[in-house]
């Protein structure tokens, strides 16, 4: 009897042990359950940056530029919570599915929002074209120097792309809606600020009230051939009824470059190059055995020089091949941080009939060179005044002024400055920094220290005078006169930049000769609008009709001059140029 009882107890233990292993195994499988999906709006456009959270946890992700996402969840039947600005939250139960196609709907509370469209406004609920509205709340806490930086990622399929000089202070970006529009021609959208085509890079981001992006042909057709690739409509802030309000804001920031690589030590670098030659069947190594010994000696402190004094460097680039130093050049030439500052002061208010908004701003942005100086700065002034003269007549005026300045180093030898960062990231670590006498031998440091300058100044003034007449409710006739004057000056001072070499001679990392170039451009633009529209609701029917006249006039002139053979680089000018 005891023997039988013992066998039963043993079998029960094994049974529970098996169950425990099974539970652990099932939990492990559940934790590795991965789902993939795509999120779009109700017309099939991918939504970028949708927040996706596993309900009851902090496990989550966001959608990429194509609206796709991948997420590992703890349970095949987990619930997902999707949230996105301007859209209703969405709760989804997986039900064991690993592939999801999800559609989010715009918030019903926002369908009555008034959106700026071509030559007027319209409620979202009555829109038939593809229009995306970016409210002031969505961008008010973003610190940006340029408008292009302000709205990055704020609107689906509005692509903001940096150019080849995109990392320097004040660098402009290209705008594109819905991808490739032309194989070779410019595919940028038409950008209007308060109904007027302006230089968007001269607009203060702090003064923007709202942005509308007209994406398809039906939405932008009213602008005709000027807008085959969409339209971006920007509205600046206006005064509101209430007490006088004075606001001051600033942003002081230290910006650090990201993704700057660290070099391996010079011995590892040289070994990799020699191994590459051997792998390619090339008998001669890039770095000789004698040089490899010098590199090891420099690293362990037994060889005190950065090059062989018996075989000194005689060419500004030769140190990359015959030197034995050990420098992390990206970190030597690129600074750890740069300083940016923004200041804005606003005055606004109004009574029942007259509202005003006045704004002033200043921005300064430094570059990331460790030894060189580059900077972009801008001063902005804006004034918007609206006055309800009678119950059927409204007068509006607007003034915008921007003065921008930039100061950059000229490029090296025969190429522009856009090549310099690439050189810094590929310079060999064994390149000597100093000569034995203590002077600088590295050509890139000398370029940063003493390069010529490219300077630019721009003055942008815009004035608007308009009136709105509404003799009958719903029938509004608007007239506006707009004038924009832009004056720009550019100054260029290419010059040689001498580099002392180890043998006592000098090489040139700068331009072949000194010169002074001056350019002046002037643009005068006038726009006259006369628009009459009627809007009405009859039961469940909505009617909106518009007729208008528009006239544009643009005059452009420029002049430039260059003088070579400067007497001195200390006082560069056309008067001190002797010519060739």
């Amino acid at each position: 009897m005891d023997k039988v009882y013992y066998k039963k107890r043993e079998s029960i233990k094994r049974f529970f042990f098996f169950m425990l292993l099974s539970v652990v195994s099932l939990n492990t499988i559940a934790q590795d359950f991965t789902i993939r999906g795509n999120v779009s709006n109700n017309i099939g456009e991918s939504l970028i940056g949708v927040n996706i959270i596993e309900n009851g946890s902090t496990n989550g992700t966001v959608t990429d530029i194509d609206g796709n996402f991948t997420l590992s969840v703890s349970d095949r039947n987990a619930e997902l919570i999707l949230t996105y600005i301007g859209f209703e939250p969405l709760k989804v139960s997986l039900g064991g599915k690993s592939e999801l196609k999800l559609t989010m709907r715009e918030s019903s509370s926002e369908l009555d929002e008034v959106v700026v469209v071509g030559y007027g406004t319209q409620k979202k609920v009555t829109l038939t074209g593809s229009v995306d509205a970016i409210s002031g709340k969505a961008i008010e806490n973003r610190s940006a120097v340029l408008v292009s930086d302000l709205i990055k990622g704020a609107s689906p399929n509005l692509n903001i792309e940096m150019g080849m000089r995109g990392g320097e202070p004040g660098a402009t970006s290209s705008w594109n809606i819905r991808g490739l529009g032309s194989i070779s021609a410019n595919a940028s959208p038409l950008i209007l600020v308060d109904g007027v085509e302006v230089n968007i890079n001269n607009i203060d981001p702090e003064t923007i009230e709202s942005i509308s992006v007209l994406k398809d042909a039906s939405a932008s057709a009213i602008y005709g051939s000027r807008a085959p690739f969409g339209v971006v409509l920007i509205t600046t802030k206006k005064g509101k009824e209430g007490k006088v309000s004075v606001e001051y804001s600033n942003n002081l920031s230290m910006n650090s470059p990201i993704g700057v690589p660290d070099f391996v030590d010079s011995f590892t670098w040289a070994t990799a190059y020699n191994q590459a030659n051997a792998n390619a069947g090339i008998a001669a190594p890039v770095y000789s055995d004698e040089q490899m010994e010098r590199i090891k000696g420099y690293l362990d402190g037994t060889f005190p020089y950065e090059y062989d004094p018996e075989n000194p460097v005689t060419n500004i680039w030769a140190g990359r091949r015959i030197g034995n130093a050990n420098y992390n050049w990206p970190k030597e030439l690129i600074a750890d941080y740069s300083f940016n500052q923004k200041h804005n002061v606003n005055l606004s208010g109004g009574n029942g009939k007259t509202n005003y908004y006045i704004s002033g701003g200043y921005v300064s942005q430094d570059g990331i060179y460790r030894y060189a100086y580059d900077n972009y700065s801008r001063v902005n002034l804006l004034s918007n005044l609206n006055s309800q003269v009678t119950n059927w007549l409204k007068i509006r005026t607007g003034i915008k002024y921007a003065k921008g300045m930039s100061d950059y180093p000229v490029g090296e030898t025969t190429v522009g400055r856009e090549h310099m960062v690439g050189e810094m990231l590929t310079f060999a670590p064994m390149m000597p920094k100093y000569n034995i006498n203590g002077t600088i031998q590295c050509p890139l440091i000398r370029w940063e220290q003493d390069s010529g300058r490219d300077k630019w100044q721009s003055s942008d003034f815009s004035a608007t005078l308009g009136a709105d007449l509404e003799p009958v409710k719903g029938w509004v006739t608007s007239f506006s006169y707009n004038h924009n004057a832009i004056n720009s000056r550019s100054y260029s001072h290419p010059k040689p930049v001498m580099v002392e070499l180890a043998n006592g001679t000098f090489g040139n990392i700068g331009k072949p000769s000194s010169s002074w170039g001056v350019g002046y451009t002037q643009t005068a633009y006038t726009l006259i609008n006369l628009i009459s529209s009627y809007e009405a609701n009859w039961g469940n029917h909505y009617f909106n009709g518009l007729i208008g006249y528009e006239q544009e006039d643009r005059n452009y002139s420029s002049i430039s001059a260059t003088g070579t053979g400067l007497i001195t680089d200390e006082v560069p000018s056309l008067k001190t140029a002797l010519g060739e």
Side-chain angles (χ1 to χ4, degrees), residues 77-94:
N77 297 312
E79 281 189 338
L80 301 182
I81 304 296
L82 284 72
T83 56
Y84 194 57
I85 295 175
F87 288 76
E88 297 283 357
L90 179 63
K91 181 182 291 188
V92 179
S93 179
L94 295 181

Side-chain angles (χ1 to χ4, degrees), residues 268-279:
T268 303
W269 179 289
T271 301
Y273 267 80
N274 286 346
Q275 187 63 53
N277 264 22
N279 293 342

Side-chain angles (χ1 to χ4, degrees), residues 252-267:
L252 308 177
S253 62
M254 294 291 188
N255 294 345
S256 297
I258 61 174
V260 178
D262 287 295
F263 275 179
V264 295
D265 64 85
S266 52
F267 187 80

Side-chain angles (χ1 to χ4, degrees), residues 143 206 248-253 339-344:
S143 177
E206 299 293 332
Y248 168 75
S249 64
N250 66 60
N251 182 283
L252 308 177
S253 62
F339 178 68
N340 295 348
Q341 57 177 316
K342 284 184 63 179
H343 302 271
N344 287 89

Side-chain angles (χ1 to χ4, degrees), residues 406-470:
S406 64
D407 187 354
Y408 307 118
V410 175
E412 63 166 288
T413 58
T414 59
V415 299
R417 62 182 180 271
E418 62 273 8
H419 294 269
M420 298 311 299
V421 173
E423 294 239 9
M424 296 174 188
L425 300 181
T426 57
F427 223 44
M430 59 280 299
M431 175 73 201
K433 182 177 181 180
Y434 299 103
N435 291 307
I436 292 178
N437 64 3
T439 57
I440 296 295
Q441 186 187 130
C442 175
L444 296 187
I445 292 181
R446 288 292 299 124
W447 173 81
E448 286 194 7
Q449 289 177 332
D450 206 24
S451 173
R453 311 303 298 176
D454 272 335
K455 296 185 178 182
W456 167 84
Q457 296 178 1
S458 175
S459 177
D460 188 338
F461 175 81
S462 178
T464 299
L465 176 63
D468 301 322
L469 293 85
E470 190 174 7

